Amino acid sequence: MSLDQTQAPHLLESLSQMGAALSSSQDYPTRLNHFLEILCPAAALQRACILQVSGADNGSLTRSPDGIEWLAGLGMSKDDFQASDQVQTQVRAALLGSPGLDLQSALVLPLPDSAAAQAALYLELQTRDSLPLIHAAAAQLSLAIQAEKLRLENEQSRQARQKFISVVTHELRIPMTSIKGYTDLLRQGLVGPVNADQQNFLNVIRSNVDRMSVLVSDLSDLNRMETGRLRVKPSVLRLQDCINEAVDALSASIAGKRQALTIQAPGDLPAVQADHSRVVQILSALLNNAHLYTASGGRITLTARAEESQVVVAVQDNGAGISPQDKPGIFEPFFRSEDAAVREHPGWGLSLSVARGLVHLQQGRIGFESQPGQGSLFWFSLPVGGESEA
């Protein structure tokens, strides 16, 4: 049926309103109902409903016993639909593969390109002049149903991944604890003397278990961030204490590469409002990142300064730097550069992503500056929380 030129503005305005309803931030059933509330008066429909074959992924929708699910309706309810054998027969035939039934007063319109969802519009017409609008609206609705199907599939995939990571990290912690404990007993000679070669082997075992422990911890933190289950416990604290703790943990490794570490943190630095253990974790991630990608004999500088209502901490090195193509992914989970100089160092691409999440959870900001071959500067800020304690 051709479209009268006088109908075009009305059709476009109605389609625009229906598109806005389907793409709004409201829940799925509400969006479908708003779509029908616009379509019915615009197309002069007495009643209309949206239906789908039972079993298609559609969220928490009402399941009917006849193999067809009720998604939304205007002028008729699910009970009205089930009470009418004629309407059920028409809809079932259309949804299960028969051509859409086009009666004088009703139309069952399978939605185009929605075979995976097997959805249809049931419409009771007052006039057939609105068919161009109906078909255009059906195409919009089809896209919305498929988008919802993809969203649900993505959500199910995300939940399955989160559950898998949660189980794996929990199960890995148990054997790692045993390996650490028994390795330490052997290293201390509590079950017999240990020669130099055996001591070296035990040190390698302990070092690799520590690496696995960091990986498991980072995976667990990322997983809890995604699910909103990671909590921080902020208090007013001295940043110098966190800096000292992070530096002490890494000092032996830094000395092993003959790197020069300089700390510039004034004694009158204001206290911050943050979680002590999480701040140490952030500092350790940035310091370890600088340590890994700075050559032997290189320089690492940690600075802290007050800036308005925040304290800014920066870790600068003169290491390999970051290429322009790698910069967008630096804070993304599991990101590793393809650069050979980076690949030669062990890592999982998690610590910087975890650090970013922890900074944001504590109302701070994080960023970096870098040039290839000229080193990097990573910084983060935390809100001032009160007067420094002596």
Side-chain angles (χ1 to χ4, degrees), residues 158 162 222-231 361:
R158 185 181 67 83
Q162 290 171 347
L222 277 176
N223 199 44
R224 289 191 292 159
M225 285 179 195
E226 286 188 0
T227 58
R229 293 183 294 111
L230 191 144
R231 296 287 183 266
L361 280 173

PDB file of all heavy atoms in Angstrom, residues 158 162 222-231 361:
ATOM      1  N   ARG A 158      27.995 -12.993  31.484  1.00  0.00           N
ATOM      2  CA  ARG A 158      28.751 -12.278  32.508  1.00  0.00           C
ATOM      3  C   ARG A 158      28.591 -12.943  33.871  1.00  0.00           C
ATOM      4  O   ARG A 158      29.564 -13.119  34.619  1.00  0.00           O
ATOM      5  CB  ARG A 158      28.286 -10.824  32.575  1.00  0.00           C
ATOM      6  CG  ARG A 158      29.077  -9.946  33.531  1.00  0.00           C
ATOM      7  CD  ARG A 158      28.533  -8.534  33.538  1.00  0.00           C
ATOM      8  NE  ARG A 158      27.210  -8.469  34.114  1.00  0.00           N
ATOM      9  CZ  ARG A 158      26.964  -8.408  35.421  1.00  0.00           C
ATOM     10  NH1 ARG A 158      27.973  -8.377  36.275  1.00  0.00           N
ATOM     11  NH2 ARG A 158      25.736  -8.358  35.872  1.00  0.00           N
ATOM     12  N   GLN A 162      31.511 -14.630  36.144  1.00  0.00           N
ATOM     13  CA  GLN A 162      31.760 -14.197  37.514  1.00  0.00           C
ATOM     14  C   GLN A 162      31.691 -15.367  38.489  1.00  0.00           C
ATOM     15  O   GLN A 162      32.504 -15.474  39.411  1.00  0.00           O
ATOM     16  CB  GLN A 162      30.753 -13.115  37.905  1.00  0.00           C
ATOM     17  CG  GLN A 162      30.973 -11.793  37.186  1.00  0.00           C
ATOM     18  CD  GLN A 162      29.848 -10.806  37.419  1.00  0.00           C
ATOM     19  OE1 GLN A 162      28.789 -11.164  37.923  1.00  0.00           O
ATOM     20  NE2 GLN A 162      30.074  -9.559  37.052  1.00  0.00           N
ATOM     21  N   LEU A 222      38.782  -7.959  40.987  1.00  0.00           N
ATOM     22  CA  LEU A 222      38.076  -7.533  39.769  1.00  0.00           C
ATOM     23  C   LEU A 222      36.670  -8.092  39.734  1.00  0.00           C
ATOM     24  O   LEU A 222      35.707  -7.402  39.363  1.00  0.00           O
ATOM     25  CB  LEU A 222      38.846  -7.990  38.528  1.00  0.00           C
ATOM     26  CG  LEU A 222      40.010  -7.120  38.064  1.00  0.00           C
ATOM     27  CD1 LEU A 222      40.713  -7.776  36.884  1.00  0.00           C
ATOM     28  CD2 LEU A 222      39.521  -5.738  37.657  1.00  0.00           C
ATOM     29  N   ASN A 223      36.541  -9.363  40.097  1.00  0.00           N
ATOM     30  CA  ASN A 223      35.232 -10.004  40.078  1.00  0.00           C
ATOM     31  C   ASN A 223      34.283  -9.326  41.050  1.00  0.00           C
ATOM     32  O   ASN A 223      33.115  -9.069  40.741  1.00  0.00           O
ATOM     33  CB  ASN A 223      35.389 -11.482  40.430  1.00  0.00           C
ATOM     34  CG  ASN A 223      34.195 -12.319  40.003  1.00  0.00           C
ATOM     35  OD1 ASN A 223      33.677 -12.161  38.903  1.00  0.00           O
ATOM     36  ND2 ASN A 223      33.758 -13.202  40.865  1.00  0.00           N
ATOM     37  N   ARG A 224      34.778  -8.999  42.232  1.00  0.00           N
ATOM     38  CA  ARG A 224      33.929  -8.351  43.240  1.00  0.00           C
ATOM     39  C   ARG A 224      33.604  -6.909  42.854  1.00  0.00           C
ATOM     40  O   ARG A 224      32.534  -6.393  43.198  1.00  0.00           O
ATOM     41  CB  ARG A 224      34.592  -8.407  44.609  1.00  0.00           C
ATOM     42  CG  ARG A 224      34.605  -9.816  45.207  1.00  0.00           C
ATOM     43  CD  ARG A 224      35.010  -9.803  46.650  1.00  0.00           C
ATOM     44  NE  ARG A 224      36.401  -9.426  46.809  1.00  0.00           N
ATOM     45  CZ  ARG A 224      36.913  -8.959  47.935  1.00  0.00           C
ATOM     46  NH1 ARG A 224      36.140  -8.760  48.988  1.00  0.00           N
ATOM     47  NH2 ARG A 224      38.195  -8.660  48.012  1.00  0.00           N
ATOM     48  N   MET A 225      34.509  -6.250  42.127  1.00  0.00           N
ATOM     49  CA  MET A 225      34.198  -4.908  41.623  1.00  0.00           C
ATOM     50  C   MET A 225      33.048  -4.968  40.624  1.00  0.00           C
ATOM     51  O   MET A 225      32.132  -4.146  40.654  1.00  0.00           O
ATOM     52  CB  MET A 225      35.432  -4.298  40.955  1.00  0.00           C
ATOM     53  CG  MET A 225      36.508  -3.822  41.909  1.00  0.00           C
ATOM     54  SD  MET A 225      37.918  -3.148  40.998  1.00  0.00           S
ATOM     55  CE  MET A 225      39.155  -3.111  42.287  1.00  0.00           C
ATOM     56  N   GLU A 226      33.102  -5.945  39.719  1.00  0.00           N
ATOM     57  CA  GLU A 226      32.057  -6.061  38.698  1.00  0.00           C
ATOM     58  C   GLU A 226      30.697  -6.335  39.309  1.00  0.00           C
ATOM     59  O   GLU A 226      29.671  -5.867  38.804  1.00  0.00           O
ATOM     60  CB  GLU A 226      32.404  -7.180  37.705  1.00  0.00           C
ATOM     61  CG  GLU A 226      33.522  -6.823  36.742  1.00  0.00           C
ATOM     62  CD  GLU A 226      33.696  -7.870  35.665  1.00  0.00           C
ATOM     63  OE1 GLU A 226      32.943  -8.866  35.678  1.00  0.00           O
ATOM     64  OE2 GLU A 226      34.573  -7.697  34.809  1.00  0.00           O
ATOM     65  N   THR A 227      30.676  -7.114  40.382  1.00  0.00           N
ATOM     66  CA  THR A 227      29.407  -7.469  41.012  1.00  0.00           C
ATOM     67  C   THR A 227      29.003  -6.488  42.107  1.00  0.00           C
ATOM     68  O   THR A 227      27.957  -6.646  42.722  1.00  0.00           O
ATOM     69  CB  THR A 227      29.478  -8.894  41.606  1.00  0.00           C
ATOM     70  OG1 THR A 227      30.556  -8.957  42.556  1.00  0.00           O
ATOM     71  CG2 THR A 227      29.732  -9.921  40.510  1.00  0.00           C
ATOM     72  N   GLY A 228      29.855  -5.483  42.368  1.00  0.00           N
ATOM     73  CA  GLY A 228      29.544  -4.504  43.397  1.00  0.00           C
ATOM     74  C   GLY A 228      29.702  -5.025  44.808  1.00  0.00           C
ATOM     75  O   GLY A 228      29.173  -4.444  45.763  1.00  0.00           O
ATOM     76  N   ARG A 229      30.440  -6.132  44.965  1.00  0.00           N
ATOM     77  CA  ARG A 229      30.607  -6.723  46.298  1.00  0.00           C
ATOM     78  C   ARG A 229      31.910  -6.317  46.972  1.00  0.00           C
ATOM     79  O   ARG A 229      32.148  -6.683  48.124  1.00  0.00           O
ATOM     80  CB  ARG A 229      30.536  -8.258  46.204  1.00  0.00           C
ATOM     81  CG  ARG A 229      29.169  -8.784  45.814  1.00  0.00           C
ATOM     82  CD  ARG A 229      29.100 -10.299  45.810  1.00  0.00           C
ATOM     83  NE  ARG A 229      29.944 -10.870  44.761  1.00  0.00           N
ATOM     84  CZ  ARG A 229      31.050 -11.555  44.994  1.00  0.00           C
ATOM     85  NH1 ARG A 229      31.483 -11.730  46.226  1.00  0.00           N
ATOM     86  NH2 ARG A 229      31.743 -12.068  44.000  1.00  0.00           N
ATOM     87  N   LEU A 230      32.774  -5.587  46.264  1.00  0.00           N
ATOM     88  CA  LEU A 230      34.025  -5.163  46.883  1.00  0.00           C
ATOM     89  C   LEU A 230      33.772  -3.889  47.699  1.00  0.00           C
ATOM     90  O   LEU A 230      33.254  -2.908  47.169  1.00  0.00           O
ATOM     91  CB  LEU A 230      35.107  -4.932  45.834  1.00  0.00           C
ATOM     92  CG  LEU A 230      36.519  -4.747  46.405  1.00  0.00           C
ATOM     93  CD1 LEU A 230      37.555  -5.369  45.487  1.00  0.00           C
ATOM     94  CD2 LEU A 230      36.844  -3.272  46.613  1.00  0.00           C
ATOM     95  N   ARG A 231      34.142  -3.924  48.946  1.00  0.00           N
ATOM     96  CA  ARG A 231      33.908  -2.790  49.831  1.00  0.00           C
ATOM     97  C   ARG A 231      35.236  -2.257  50.354  1.00  0.00           C
ATOM     98  O   ARG A 231      36.160  -3.030  50.628  1.00  0.00           O
ATOM     99  CB  ARG A 231      33.028  -3.208  51.014  1.00  0.00           C
ATOM    100  CG  ARG A 231      31.628  -3.651  50.605  1.00  0.00           C
ATOM    101  CD  ARG A 231      30.774  -2.475  50.178  1.00  0.00           C
ATOM    102  NE  ARG A 231      29.414  -2.877  49.861  1.00  0.00           N
ATOM    103  CZ  ARG A 231      28.989  -3.185  48.643  1.00  0.00           C
ATOM    104  NH1 ARG A 231      29.837  -3.143  47.628  1.00  0.00           N
ATOM    105  NH2 ARG A 231      27.748  -3.523  48.424  1.00  0.00           N
ATOM    106  N   LEU A 361      36.803   3.644  43.780  1.00  0.00           N
ATOM    107  CA  LEU A 361      35.972   3.305  44.933  1.00  0.00           C
ATOM    108  C   LEU A 361      36.219   4.249  46.109  1.00  0.00           C
ATOM    109  O   LEU A 361      35.363   4.389  46.982  1.00  0.00           O
ATOM    110  CB  LEU A 361      36.246   1.861  45.372  1.00  0.00           C
ATOM    111  CG  LEU A 361      35.549   0.753  44.574  1.00  0.00           C
ATOM    112  CD1 LEU A 361      36.047  -0.609  45.024  1.00  0.00           C
ATOM    113  CD2 LEU A 361      34.040   0.833  44.730  1.00  0.00           C
TER     114      LEU A 361
END
